[in-house]
Amino acid sequence: MKTLLSVENLRKRFVSAERDVAAVDGLSFSLGTGETLGIAGASGSGKSTLARLLLRLIEPDAGGITFEGSDWLSLKGSDLRHRRGRIQMVFQDILGAFHPSATVNDALGDPLRIHGIVAKAERSSEIARLLERVGLSSAHATRPVRELSGGQRQRVAIARAIASRPSLVVLDEAVSALDVQLRNRILELLVELQRENGISYLFISHDLAVLRAVSHRLAIMDAGRIVETGNTTDIINHPSSAAGRALIAAVPRLTPGGRPTNTMQKSEPTHEP
Amino acid sequence: MTEPLCRITDLSVRYRHNTALTHVSLDLIGGERLAIVGESGSGKSTFARALAGLLPDNAVRDGDIQWSSERAPRPGRDIGFVFQDSSASLNPVLRIGEQVAEGAKRHLGMSWKAAYAHAEMLLDHVRIPNPSAVMRAYPRQLSGGQRQRVAIAAAIASRPSILIADEATSALDTVVQAEITALLDRLVSEAAMTLIFVTHDIALASNLADRIAVLKDGRLVEIGPVSDILADPKSDDTRNLLAGHFDLTSAPLIGGQRR
C-alpha cells in the first residue's frame, strides 16, 4: 500500500495563564492510500488537536507532516490554498459547520467554486451528482441545511467533504451524535465511498465499537501520545496499554441476564483529570 | 404484586405543532430501575419531564399520572433530575458549593453552614477529587465528566426517592460514560432510589436497568424485564434497536480484518 500521509514527532502545546497543556506530544504515524486509521482516545487525549493540525487550522510547535509525497507544513499562500481541498474534514456538530441560512446548494457550491473543481455551468449537475452519491436527491439542493434531519445533514457534510475530491478525509466524531440506525447507514456510506474512490480516512472517536467497524488499523491516544498502534483486531483482542483497555471496557454490551452490578462497581474509580 | 409507586394512564403530551407522546400507560414500581429507550424524537425525554412535572408551559398534557403517595412527589425535592447537558443544569456564575448546597438548604431545612458541609460530603460521595477546592470552583473549571458528577450531587442533595437521568451520559466519551453509569448504579443502590434512566442506547439500558420501556414516535411499543426484551423482543421497533446495536463482537463493515 502506498503511503499517503506520514506524521513525524508532531508537537503542539497550549499555554495560558491558567495552564500549560501538551495537547499533542510527539505523535508519529502513517496512513496508506485507501486505508482507514482509527484514532481512539478519551476526551482531552489530543485527538481533535491532531485533526486541526492536519488541516493546517493551527500550526505545530515541532514535527513534520508529509502528505501526497511533499512537505505539507511548508505550503504557504496560494500553494496551500490550491492543495487544501486534498484534505477535508467532517465534524460531529453538523449544524455548527454550516452558515445558519445556507442552503444545500450553498454548502456544496462553495467548495466546488473555491477549489475550481468544475466549470460554473456544470456546478448544478455536479451538486446533483454529489447528492445522489451520498443517498440524497437533487430535490434537496434548494433546502436550507438547518431544516434537514440530523442524518440528512451529515450526508450533506460528507458530500461537501468529498466535493473537492480529497485523498484524505478526517472524520472527527462524525457519527457520535446520530441514532444507531442512522449511524450505521452513515458508516456504510463512508465505507462504500472508500471502496469506490480509494479515499483514506483518519477516523477519530472515543467509541471503539464504531472504530472497529470501519478501521483497518487503530492508534490509541492518551495525553497527546499514541500509546499503542496496530491491526484493529489485534488491539481489540490484546490491548497492551491502560488507555486501550479502558476504552475497550467502556463499550456498552447487551447484557441479556440483567445488570452486571459487580463488574460495574469495579470500573467506577475515576481517573479523570 | 405490590402496589405501583405510580400508575400512568393514557398519558399524551402535545406541543403547539406536534404530538410528543400518545396514550402511554405503564406502572412504575417503587425501587425499580426503569430504562426508557428510543431514538431521538421518540418522546422519551417528554415522558421523563412529564413524570417529573417539568414540562414546559406550552405543553398540553392529557391522561393521568396517579402517585400512590398522598401528595405527588415534588420535582427538585422528591424527584432528582439529571440532564444530558451539565452546563445547562449548572449555573455558570455560581460556585459549585452553593449550587449543591442549595437543594439541601431549601428542602432539608438545613442552615447554610450545614448545607455546605452536606454539599462537600456529597462531592466526595460522587468521587470528585479534592472536594473542598471544587466547592469554590465554577462549572467551567471542571471537565464534562466532573460537571456531570456535580450535577448528580446537586440532584441528590435533597435526598430524593426518585432519580430521573435524561441522557445523562450521552454527551460524554465512552470511558467517562462508563464511570458515570457506575456512579448512578452505586448511588441508586445505596439509597434504594427508584431510577428512571432515559437513553438511546439499548445496551447501556441493559447494563443498568431492571425493566426496559421502548418508545417509538411517542408511543410505548414494548415494556418488560431486560432479559425478555433482549431475548424475545415482541415489537419490530425493539428488534431494530437491537439489530442496530454494535459492539466489539459485531461483524466489521470492512473486509480484510482478521476476526
Side-chain angles (χ1 to χ4, degrees), chain A residues 178-232:
Chain A
L178 300 174
D179 283 326
V180 287
Q181 319 275 353
L182 287 174
R183 181 189 67 187
N184 298 0
R185 276 182 236 131
I186 295 289
L187 290 175
E188 281 163 10
L189 169 65
L190 289 168
V191 167
E192 197 183 306
L193 290 171
Q194 178 173 62
R195 208 177 292 135
E196 287 171 9
N197 305 345
I199 301 178
S200 303
Y201 294 130
L202 198 68
F203 203 128
I204 295 174
S205 181
H206 60 81
D207 187 340
L208 266 188
V210 165
L211 292 181
R212 179 181 167 278
V214 297
S215 305
H216 303 94
R217 285 189 303 133
L218 281 181
I220 309 285
M221 271 189 84
D222 187 28
R225 295 171 195 206
I226 290 177
V227 291
E228 70 179 298
T229 177
N231 170 288
T232 300

Side-chain angles (χ1 to χ4, degrees), chain A residues 183-184 187 209-211 213 251-252, chain B residues 242-248 250 253:
Chain A
R183 181 189 67 187
N184 298 0
L187 290 175
V210 165
L211 292 181
V251 174
Chain B
L242 290 167
H245 168 76
F246 61 69
D247 56 28
L248 300 176
S250 320
L253 295 173

Side-chain angles (χ1 to χ4, degrees), chain A:
Chain A
M1 191 175 355
K2 224 177 120 200
T3 300
L4 177 77
L5 171 77
S6 73
V7 169
E8 288 288 332
N9 207 13
L10 201 63
R11 290 176 192 276
K12 178 70 183 176
R13 298 185 84 84
F14 292 106
V15 182
S16 71
E18 283 179 21
R19 50 189 166 179
D20 178 355
V21 184
V24 165
D25 193 14
L27 272 193
S28 303
F29 64 87
S30 65
L31 176 66
T33 299
E35 186 186 33
T36 299
L37 175 64
I39 305 264
S43 316
S45 60
K47 308 181 302 272
S48 295
T49 301
L50 168 63
R52 290 161 69 205
L53 288 166
L54 288 173
L55 281 139
R56 297 281 311 269
L57 298 175
I58 52 175
E59 295 297 313
D61 301 327
I65 298 174
T66 308
F67 174 64
E68 293 184 331
S70 62
D71 181 356
W72 181 245
L73 292 174
S74 70
L75 288 175
K76 286 191 179 64
S78 65
D79 290 343
L80 177 60
R81 272 200 302 283
H82 282 132
R83 296 279 303 282
R84 261 199 201 280
R86 303 295 296 162
I87 303 183
Q88 289 293 307
M89 182 143 171
V90 178
F91 298 90
Q92 172 176 2
D93 181 7
I94 307 151
L95 204 51
F98 297 107
H99 189 276
S101 66
T103 63
V104 172
N105 254 327
D106 300 332
L108 300 183
D110 284 348
L112 294 176
R113 179 175 52 78
I114 291 163
H115 299 292
I117 302 297
V118 292
K120 194 174 176 185
E122 292 160 35
R123 215 172 279 159
S124 64
S125 63
E126 179 69 7
I127 289 172
R129 194 191 67 84
L130 283 166
L131 286 173
E132 196 187 318
R133 200 59 224 78
V134 297
L136 297 172
S137 83
S138 53
H140 287 100
T142 52
R143 300 267 305 274
V145 176
R146 68 169 188 284
E147 287 178 13
L148 301 178
S149 69
Q152 289 172 336
R153 273 204 296 269
Q154 200 58 308
R155 286 174 192 273
V156 172
I158 291 167
R160 182 166 69 168
I162 62 172
S164 62
R165 299 176 190 171
S167 57
L168 171 62
V169 176
V170 178
L171 303 152
D172 190 0
E173 302 287 5
V175 298
S176 304
L178 300 174
D179 283 326
V180 287
Q181 319 275 353
L182 287 174
R183 181 189 67 187
N184 298 0
R185 276 182 236 131
I186 295 289
L187 290 175
E188 281 163 10
L189 169 65
L190 289 168
V191 167
E192 197 183 306
L193 290 171
Q194 178 173 62
R195 208 177 292 135
E196 287 171 9
N197 305 345
I199 301 178
S200 303
Y201 294 130
L202 198 68
F203 203 128
I204 295 174
S205 181
H206 60 81
D207 187 340
L208 266 188
V210 165
L211 292 181
R212 179 181 167 278
V214 297
S215 305
H216 303 94
R217 285 189 303 133
L218 281 181
I220 309 285
M221 271 189 84
D222 187 28
R225 295 171 195 206
I226 290 177
V227 291
E228 70 179 298
T229 177
N231 170 288
T232 300
T233 315
D234 293 344
I235 291 197
I236 302 274
N237 291 343
H238 308 287
S240 65
S241 66
R245 284 192 291 273
L247 286 163
I248 287 167
V251 174
R253 292 153 173 84
L254 288 168
T255 318
R259 54 193 152 100
T261 308
N262 292 330
T263 56
M264 298 205 51
Q265 295 282 6
K266 255 184 268 169
S267 72
E268 194 193 341
T270 172
H271 50 77
E272 289 168 52

Side-chain angles (χ1 to χ4, degrees), chain B residues 10 56 60 73-74 78 82 113 126 142 148 162 171 192 196 204-205 214 220 239 242:
Chain B
D10 275 338
V60 179
R74 290 149 292 178
D78 309 305
V82 184
K113 191 172 175 222
V126 298
L142 305 180
Q148 199 59 293
I162 302 163
I196 313 291
L204 199 60
V214 178
L220 176 68
R239 276 192 284 271
L242 290 167

Side-chain angles (χ1 to χ4, degrees), chain B residues 19-251:
Chain B
T19 303
L21 218 52
T22 309
H23 299 300
V24 171
S25 300
L26 63 87
D27 286 351
L28 184 62
I29 300 158
E32 77 164 331
R33 297 148 165 232
L34 175 65
I36 312 290
V37 178
E39 300 186 338
S40 12
S42 61
K44 56 191 191 299
S45 286
T46 299
F47 176 81
R49 279 159 198 266
L51 193 60
L54 291 176
L55 285 174
D57 291 343
N58 64 344
V60 179
R61 204 192 87 178
D62 274 324
D64 198 33
I65 300 180
Q66 192 66 51
W67 295 91
S68 62
S69 51
E70 252 169 56
R71 59 188 293 188
R74 290 149 292 178
R77 174 166 191 166
D78 309 305
I79 305 181
F81 208 99
V82 184
F83 298 89
Q84 172 171 352
D85 184 0
S86 60
S87 47
S89 50
L90 297 174
N91 187 329
V93 299
L94 288 187
R95 291 180 196 273
I96 299 294
E98 185 176 346
Q99 307 202 40
V100 179
E102 204 242 340
K105 161 125 181 26
R106 179 182 300 197
H107 297 302
L108 302 181
M110 289 182 178
S111 65
W112 270 117
K113 191 172 175 222
Y116 269 94
H118 183 63
E120 190 169 332
M121 184 274 293
L122 281 169
L123 291 181
D124 186 51
H125 201 59
V126 298
R127 306 255 164 99
I128 292 273
N130 200 357
S132 61
V134 171
M135 288 286 285
R136 294 188 299 273
Y138 292 97
R140 65 175 163 79
Q141 293 170 288
L142 305 180
S143 70
Q146 302 288 25
R147 273 203 301 271
Q148 199 59 293
R149 286 175 191 272
V150 170
I152 290 169
I156 62 170
S158 60
R159 301 193 185 116
S161 57
I162 302 163
L163 186 64
I164 302 182
D166 185 4
E167 297 275 15
T169 66
S170 306
L172 306 168
D173 74 46
T174 44
V175 174
V176 181
Q177 168 173 284
E179 291 169 358
I180 297 291
T181 308
L183 171 66
L184 288 172
D185 184 47
R186 172 169 64 87
L187 295 174
V188 167
S189 295
E190 283 171 355
M193 282 186 277
T194 305
L195 176 69
I196 313 291
F197 186 73
V198 177
T199 179
H200 64 277
D201 186 335
I202 196 165
L204 199 60
S206 77
N207 291 342
L208 194 62
D210 304 314
R211 289 198 300 160
I212 291 178
V214 178
L215 294 187
K216 169 79 175 178
D217 297 335
R219 292 174 190 276
L220 176 68
V221 296
E222 186 161 7
I223 181 168
V226 171
S227 50
D228 292 3
I229 297 279
L230 266 57
D232 187 20
K234 299 282 185 276
S235 124
D236 285 344
D237 299 308
T238 311
R239 276 192 284 271
N240 283 337
L241 284 175
L242 290 167
H245 168 76
F246 61 69
D247 56 28
L248 300 176
T249 60
S250 320

